[in-house]
Amino acid sequence: MLPGIGIFGTGNIVKVVVPFLREKGFKIEALWGRTVESAKEVAKELNIPFYTNKIDDVLLRKDVDLIFIVCSPNLHSQISVKALGIGKHVLCDKPGGLCQNDVLKMVKASQYYPSLISIVNHSLRFLPAFSQMKKYILDGFIGNSNEITVCDIRVQMGSLLHDKYDWLCDDKMGGGILTLVGSHVIDLVSHLISQRAARVHSVVRTFTKVTNQINGHRHITSPDFCVFQMEMDNGALVTVTLNNHLPGMFNQEVLVCGKLGHLAVRGGDLYAYKNTAQKEEVIYLDVEDMKHKYEQLNPVATNVIPKPYMKGLFKMIGALKEAFLPVEDKRGWIKEPVELAASFEDELYVQAVIDALRKSSMNREWVKVSILKEESDPNSMLSAAVRCSGISL
């Protein structure tokens, strides 16, 4: 029997995910919103029977066993830790939190309750083109693991902002292309080539500080452009460009080069080139028709979430359903179908890279990536700022 789901968040992604969860057989039991009004509005639109602005009212429901967290990042860690502590499975949106301290708490909670599913929405791992790319890399198509030389990633898209000021406008609240798109890229690269960043260098900028709708006393601080390099621990060099300045467009290319050739994913298709060949060839063409799924979704929401990310999310939800299919033992679910998903430990690494990239851009120098092992001083300025921006349970 599939678990009942409690959703935290009222944004466009909720309007995308709920119809597909229902198509897969999940029952949405409860919805949390920052205000009762916002929760009521979305619950009515999506026909969700219970809504609230109190976190515990969702977590403590007996008909809720799986928590979807798609609210502002300052609440991700708090909700995840508490949900795991009372025996709920967790799928958390990226980023895991506002700093490594946040994510480290999630890691420790997941380690304390290893029988529970605790994963992060890095959906590109489930996109078929990237699954095929990883297989070709593991098979040595472009050389062995020591012969991967360069990865080049470019993502060009429109603004991530809404028509009103909210957390997406604030860098300290987790908004901006670095956390919302860069986190996907950082996770994907390490997943594909099985290497992690040793040190990084970046330029992170906020060019759009006001818009026609957001022009009051609070200005936009979330970055809309960044370019960075990562030196990986096994010798590969990664270059990434993320650009929010192309309204109405979405282009994404992931190129991985090795001694024997290269592999490239453009959109949802996989291309390959061997040094012995005459030209680049398509080795995986994404022809799966998902039009019927998109037609179920809120049309405004589908314009906000790029199709590769949406398709990867649908595939991840499909794997999540498989994890809860009946099995012979008494648990009633198995973890294997979601082992491909990013874990909280993976997200701690991603957050460590983001922290290093921010520091690099500020200091204009290469910065070593350092993963936190123990929580830092709670009286530090950063921790104090995080506490001030958060909302207590």
Side-chain angles (χ1 to χ4, degrees), residues 95-137:
L98 300 179
C99 62
Q100 286 195 68
N101 263 341
D102 282 356
V103 187
L104 184 58
K105 292 174 183 177
M106 296 165 64
V107 169
K108 290 183 175 180
S110 67
Q111 291 173 342
Y112 196 78
Y113 302 100
S115 63
L116 296 172
I117 290 175
S118 53
I119 57 179
V120 181
N121 175 25
H122 286 305
S123 57
L124 289 179
R125 289 184 176 214
F126 287 84
L127 194 69
F130 289 121
S131 298
Q132 292 293 319
M133 176 183 265
K134 182 172 177 66
K135 181 178 183 299
Y136 274 90
I137 291 172

Side-chain angles (χ1 to χ4, degrees), residues 355-386:
D355 289 352
L357 290 170
R358 285 174 168 154
K359 184 176 180 181
S360 171
S361 182
M362 182 181 301
N363 298 339
R364 301 182 180 183
E365 63 184 10
W366 283 89
V367 173
K368 181 180 178 181
V369 175
S370 179
I371 299 178
L372 199 63
K373 302 298 183 185
E374 296 294 333
E375 291 183 45
S376 60
D377 181 5
N379 296 316
S380 69
M381 291 181 64
L382 177 60
S383 296
V386 171

Side-chain angles (χ1 to χ4, degrees), residues 11-131:
N12 283 326
I13 190 171
V14 173
K15 299 173 185 179
V16 170
V17 168
V18 166
F20 191 71
L21 284 168
R22 285 177 171 149
E23 182 182 283
K24 287 295 182 181
F26 289 99
K27 189 175 181 181
I28 315 302
E29 301 287 359
L31 177 75
W32 174 92
R34 187 172 294 278
T35 65
V36 173
E37 292 76 15
S38 64
K40 180 179 180 180
E41 180 183 348
V42 175
K44 183 177 180 181
E45 179 182 345
L46 299 175
N47 195 28
I48 298 173
F50 178 83
Y51 61 87
T52 181
N53 68 336
K54 296 180 180 180
I55 290 172
D56 285 358
D57 285 354
V58 174
L59 293 179
L60 296 176
R61 286 183 65 92
K62 292 183 179 180
D63 55 2
V64 169
D65 291 304
L66 173 61
I67 301 298
F68 262 62
I69 305 172
V70 283
C71 55
S72 57
N74 62 304
L75 292 173
H76 287 185
S77 178
Q78 299 178 46
I79 297 170
S80 295
V81 171
K82 195 165 189 178
L84 290 170
I86 57 177
K88 312 288 186 177
H89 306 282
V90 174
L91 191 159
C92 183
D93 201 14
K94 78 311 161 200
L98 300 179
C99 62
Q100 286 195 68
N101 263 341
D102 282 356
V103 187
L104 184 58
K105 292 174 183 177
M106 296 165 64
V107 169
K108 290 183 175 180
S110 67
Q111 291 173 342
Y112 196 78
Y113 302 100
S115 63
L116 296 172
I117 290 175
S118 53
I119 57 179
V120 181
N121 175 25
H122 286 305
S123 57
L124 289 179
R125 289 184 176 214
F126 287 84
L127 194 69
F130 289 121
S131 298

Side-chain angles (χ1 to χ4, degrees), residues 314-334:
F314 289 169
K315 294 290 185 182
M316 184 169 68
I317 290 172
L320 193 61
K321 176 183 178 178
E322 290 184 25
F324 288 101
L325 292 178
V327 292
E328 293 181 0
D329 62 36
K330 295 181 180 180
R331 293 178 302 170
W333 56 274
I334 52 175

